[in-house]
């Protein structure tokens, strides 16, 4: 069966939520974001979940969220930057979906996230080192999983969305 969902993967600050919303508008689809979904379901924000349950607790909630959201049809879904690291999640993400990797440098991530307080993994002495280390681990996985990779550095979200649309297979844009 052909893919029906469009899934955005990539690191923190790659623009998954903003670009996902734009794509959903243009393609007349519903938009979901795993982080927002978890926050809505639990009634607390992501930093609070990390505080109370640790990263492992958050990852369990993330897997459950992905499981529920990929069972929908014809949606655009933005995922958390670390979601691709569990084999279980990769399997769920691959089912029934077309996956787009928003390829973004650490420099660009730092610029977009410089005032961020909502990413527990960046509340460290040296966010640059942390982002570098995470990207080194994760980039090969993003690339392996993606049907399409789009560079986002120095581009506004609107431009990235406009670049993606003509590259999508025709059955996704009908
Ligand atoms: C994380 C990325 C965040 C969020 C959590 C962990 C990660 O989502 O899921 O803070 O491991 O990279 P975004 O990629 O939307 O920032």
């Amino acid at each position: 069966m052909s893919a029906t969902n469009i899934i955005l993967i990539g690191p923190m600050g790659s623009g998954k939520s903003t670009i996902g919303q734009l794509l959903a508008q243009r393609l007349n689809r519903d938009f979901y974001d795993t982080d927002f979904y978890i926050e809505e379901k639990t009634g607390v924000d992501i930093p609070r979940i990390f505080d109370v349950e640790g990263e492992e607790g958050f990852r369990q909630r993330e897997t459950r969220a992905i499981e529920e959201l990929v069972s929908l049809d014809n949606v655009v879904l933005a995922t958390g930057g670390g979601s691709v690291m569990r084999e279980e999640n990769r399997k769920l993400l691959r089912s029934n979906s077309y996956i787009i990797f928003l390829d973004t440098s650490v420099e660009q991530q730092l610029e977009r996230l410089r005032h961020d307080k909502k990413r527990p993994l960046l509340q460290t002495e040296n966010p640059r080192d942390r982002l570098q280390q995470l990207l080194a681990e994760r980039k090969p996985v993003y690339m392996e999983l993606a049907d399409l990779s789009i560079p986002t550095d120095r581009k506004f979200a609107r431009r990235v969305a406009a670049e993606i649309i003509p590259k999508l297979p025709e059955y996704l844009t009908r």
Side-chain angles (χ1 to χ4, degrees):
M1 205 188 97
S2 296
T4 69
N5 293 329
I6 296 173
I7 297 187
L8 297 174
I9 61 170
M12 296 178 254
S14 57
K16 296 171 298 234
S17 306
T18 316
I19 294 162
Q21 285 179 55
L22 290 169
L23 286 177
Q25 273 169 21
R26 303 262 176 94
L27 299 170
N28 210 9
R29 288 163 173 255
D30 289 333
F31 172 73
Y32 291 89
D33 179 299
T34 55
D35 286 338
F36 297 158
Y37 187 77
I38 294 167
E39 290 183 334
E40 233 164 60
K41 272 192 102 165
T42 55
V44 294
D45 64 11
I46 305 287
R48 177 92 181 130
I49 298 175
F50 268 72
D51 273 353
V52 176
E53 300 179 348
E55 182 170 351
E56 184 51 32
F58 170 73
R59 295 297 172 200
Q60 281 173 23
R61 292 187 183 278
E62 184 173 52
T63 295
R64 248 175 286 146
I66 293 172
E67 197 170 12
E68 290 172 23
L69 292 170
V70 297
S71 73
L72 302 172
D73 280 323
N74 295 313
V75 303
V76 176
L77 174 64
T79 55
S83 59
V84 300
M85 299 311 283
R86 278 192 172 193
E87 171 57 29
E88 193 181 356
N89 296 352
R90 291 198 291 276
K91 236 187 182 153
L92 290 166
L93 293 173
R94 273 195 208 104
S95 62
N96 204 24
S97 49
Y98 184 84
I99 302 181
I100 304 171
F101 166 40
L102 300 181
D103 191 359
T104 307
S105 68
V106 167
E107 283 315 314
Q108 183 70 79
Q109 286 179 265
L110 279 168
E111 201 177 308
R112 295 193 186 135
L113 298 169
R114 64 187 182 279
H115 303 302
D116 186 80
K117 293 272 172 287
K118 291 202 67 183
R119 265 82 168 191
L121 297 179
L122 296 187
Q123 308 314 307
T124 149
E125 290 262 295
N126 196 332
R128 180 188 298 272
D129 278 359
R130 172 59 60 85
L131 287 172
Q132 257 157 3
Q133 173 212 336
L134 290 173
L135 198 60
E137 287 166 12
R138 294 171 176 181
K139 189 163 175 178
V141 185
Y142 294 136
M143 289 174 62
E144 203 272 320
L145 207 55
D147 296 298
L148 174 69
S149 295
I150 296 279
T152 78
D153 280 9
R154 297 178 301 280
K155 292 179 193 165
F156 288 118
R158 273 183 194 289
R159 172 160 163 216
V160 179
E163 273 180 37
I164 291 173
I165 304 261
K167 294 199 161 89
L168 293 174
E170 200 242 322
Y171 64 84
L172 286 173
T173 58
R174 260 181 294 198

